[in-house]
Amino acid sequence: MRVILSTFNKGGVGKTTLAVHLAGALAEDPFQRVLLVDCVDQYDSVNFMSGDSPEGKLKTLNTKYPNVSVVWNPERESLRKIIGQSQYDSVVLDLNSPAKDTVKAIVNAQPTGVFLPINRQALALGRLKDTLALVAAMAEHTGYIIPVVIVPLGSDIDSVNNALEDCRDSIGSLTVKLSDPIAFDPEHFENSLTNGRFVWEYQGCEYVKPLLQSSLSSI
């Protein structure tokens, strides 16, 4: 089972938007069973995928995809019973700043890969170092080498590269790569959570799905 973590040590940088799109990209393979775990109080991931509010914490809901389920887990409780009831090929966690044991406590596994969104907010670049340090601490604590993919969401690619260069002393043994950038379209990507539509459903944005699928296959 692959465990994909979408996280960042700051709100409003596109973490949830990235999480639902990662789950959607995985779901394009009809043989993949995907569980999206919403660990955020606002339950935007649940609402996007199911079209409704959660029926309660730890209640698994069906989604617009027959091979994707979503569960709201704002208190980051263990999902061992849910994971054990049905075999999932991939689990995507929409999670705020990760602590050392958080992912393992939730799904009883270490993350296979960590995706960090960087949008146009200046604070997103400023918090990259702190976020990478947290992921590095998690990797050191578990003894696993955790691949990290930084996904620019409309941010200037040179600025992201410069910020990443300034973080080299914070990443330890992490394997960090930069994905191809996703061009920022406020009408589509930024509003996808409220519109309930994947960005690749809009003309001119079709490239986003294979871009994320390529990044997922690289970890």
Side-chain angles (χ1 to χ4, degrees), residues 3-9 13-23 36-37 39-40 45 91-98 103 111 113-117 131 149 151 153:
V3 178
I4 308 299
L5 176 59
S6 178
T7 190
F8 205 84
N9 193 31
V13 300
K15 169 186 57 62
T16 295
T17 303
L18 180 59
V20 299
H21 281 79
L22 288 170
L36 176 59
V37 183
C39 297
V40 183
S45 292
V91 176
V92 178
L93 289 101
D94 176 12
L95 183 67
N96 291 327
S97 182
V103 175
V114 176
F115 283 74
L116 306 178
T131 303
V149 180
V151 184
L153 303 179

Side-chain angles (χ1 to χ4, degrees), residues 1-4 26-27 29-35 67-68 83 86-92 112:
M1 181 181 72
R2 289 197 300 174
V3 178
I4 308 299
L26 288 165
D29 180 351
F31 297 103
Q32 275 274 326
R33 296 206 62 198
V34 181
L35 177 66
N67 56 331
V68 179
I83 298 294
S86 183
Q87 180 63 46
Y88 292 98
D89 301 294
S90 297
V91 176
V92 178
T112 309

Side-chain angles (χ1 to χ4, degrees), residues 151-155 157 178-183 207 211:
V151 184
L153 303 179
S155 51
I157 195 70
L178 199 61
S179 82
D180 290 336
I182 295 176
Y207 73 94
L211 184 155

Side-chain angles (χ1 to χ4, degrees), residues 53-178:
S53 302
E55 298 175 356
K57 300 173 185 176
L58 305 184
K59 300 290 185 180
T60 305
L61 298 175
N62 295 325
T63 71
K64 60 183 74 174
Y65 283 102
N67 56 331
V68 179
S69 300
V70 64
V71 62
W72 186 41
N73 186 17
E75 296 176 4
R76 305 180 181 186
E77 298 180 47
S78 172
L79 298 179
R80 294 183 187 184
K81 291 183 179 179
I82 294 175
I83 298 294
Q85 289 173 359
S86 183
Q87 180 63 46
Y88 292 98
D89 301 294
S90 297
V91 176
V92 178
L93 289 101
D94 176 12
L95 183 67
N96 291 327
S97 182
K100 292 179 182 178
D101 288 322
T102 303
V103 175
K104 186 173 183 181
I106 295 172
V107 296
N108 196 33
Q110 304 298 345
T112 309
V114 176
F115 283 74
L116 306 178
I118 300 285
N119 67 4
R120 296 181 297 179
Q121 288 191 30
L123 283 176
L125 290 173
R127 292 286 182 87
L128 178 60
K129 187 172 185 177
D130 292 342
T131 303
L132 285 172
L134 286 170
V135 178
M138 179 171 58
E140 182 178 357
H141 179 73
T142 61
Y144 288 88
I145 297 176
I146 303 175
V148 177
V149 180
I150 297 175
V151 184
L153 303 179
S155 51
D156 178 70
I157 195 70
D158 291 333
S159 298
V160 176
N161 272 315
N162 291 336
L164 181 57
E165 194 60 35
D166 291 340
C167 298
R168 291 298 174 186
D169 60 343
S170 303
I171 63 177
S173 60
L174 292 179
T175 301
V176 181
K177 61 180 67 177
L178 199 61

